[in-house]
Amino acid sequence: SKEDMNPCARLDWPVEGIARITLMRGGHHNTLTTGLIAELERMLDAISAARARVLLLTGSGIPGSQAME
């Protein structure tokens, strides 16, 4: 699968046509920063160019929490 790693967010394609962005700032409650916004814009451009049918947006959670992915 296509993957793009970044410290603030991760883009992957779990199934063809379905893009998933995972925000990786759980320790900061996934707050939006100018860097994260710029990264999301770049990812959305790539998702649009690939003509994804679905976009899932999720967060990594807070480190040490018992939240399930």
Side-chain angles (χ1 to χ4, degrees):
S1 86
K2 298 182 250 176
E3 292 193 8
D4 183 3
M5 294 300 291
N6 175 282
C8 295
R10 179 181 69 219
L11 170 61
D12 69 307
W13 301 80
V15 177
E16 186 176 341
I18 299 178
R20 176 175 51 203
I21 295 176
T22 304
L23 303 179
M24 306 297 291
R25 293 178 40 85
H28 300 281
H29 303 285
N30 290 312
T31 54
L32 295 177
T33 63
T34 55
L36 178 55
I37 291 169
E39 186 60 22
L40 289 173
E41 183 176 4
R42 188 186 69 73
M43 289 178 173
L44 291 171
D45 287 345
I47 290 165
S48 178
R51 302 188 53 85
R53 296 173 301 148
V54 176
L55 169 60
L56 302 171
L57 180 61
T58 188
S60 61
I62 299 171
S65 73
Q66 299 300 315
M68 304 220 4
E69 283 192 23

